[in-house]
Amino acid sequence: QVQLVESGGGLVQAGGSLRLSCAASGQIFANYAMGWFRQAPGKGREFVAAISRSGGNSNYADSVKGRFTISRGTAKNTVYLQMNSLKPEDSAVYYCAAHLSYYSDLADEYNRWGWGTQVTVSS
């Protein structure tokens, strides 16, 4: 099994940037597609972005297209989420997750989850 630990969250002003990291340990990282989800208070878990096992394909929620970029550094067993032009509505706990086959946008299909990292965007 793969274990996931997120980092890089924090407080940023609207228009600013953050880069989230998700470090994976355990089973071979390349076996998993990876996704980022977020959850704001009182709301359900929302898909943000996902990337294939090879890193050659990715998928984004409409709300973050053109602002967020997902990537993976295979040598370091890490997946990143670069977030630019942040908005107050991006504030949430961000989770990374591992999927055994596909870069799905459905949270229920993911097998492993990290504990999350808080992102707060002030207006």
Side-chain angles (χ1 to χ4, degrees):
Q1 295 180 355
V2 65
Q3 291 79 43
L4 306 173
V5 179
E6 302 95 337
S7 62
L11 174 64
V12 64
Q13 288 188 334
S17 298
L18 283 174
R19 188 177 80 156
L20 305 184
S21 299
C22 174
S25 61
Q27 289 187 332
I28 299 173
F29 180 60
N31 288 345
Y32 292 84
M34 300 297 295
W36 284 97
F37 292 79
R38 65 188 182 188
Q39 188 165 16
K43 295 187 177 181
R45 195 160 292 190
E46 176 190 20
F47 170 72
V48 176
I51 191 166
S52 63
R53 287 180 286 185
S54 69
N57 294 286
S58 58
N59 186 22
Y60 295 89
D62 288 342
S63 59
V64 306
K65 278 181 182 176
R67 300 188 298 124
F68 291 11
T69 303
I70 189 171
S71 61
R72 58 193 302 160
T74 305
K76 295 185 177 180
N77 284 2
T78 303
V79 62
Y80 303 99
L81 184 69
Q82 177 66 43
M83 306 186 296
N84 299 328
S85 302
L86 283 162
K87 305 175 181 179
E89 52 263 44
D90 294 319
S91 297
V93 177
Y94 282 70
Y95 300 88
C96 73
H99 192 297
L100 278 173
S101 57
Y102 183 68
Y103 53 111
S104 172
D105 60 358
L106 299 177
D108 289 347
E109 294 185 358
Y110 282 77
N111 308 92
R112 292 289 179 267
W113 292 82
W115 289 102
T117 185
Q118 176 71 49
V119 171
T120 304
V121 184
S122 62
S123 57

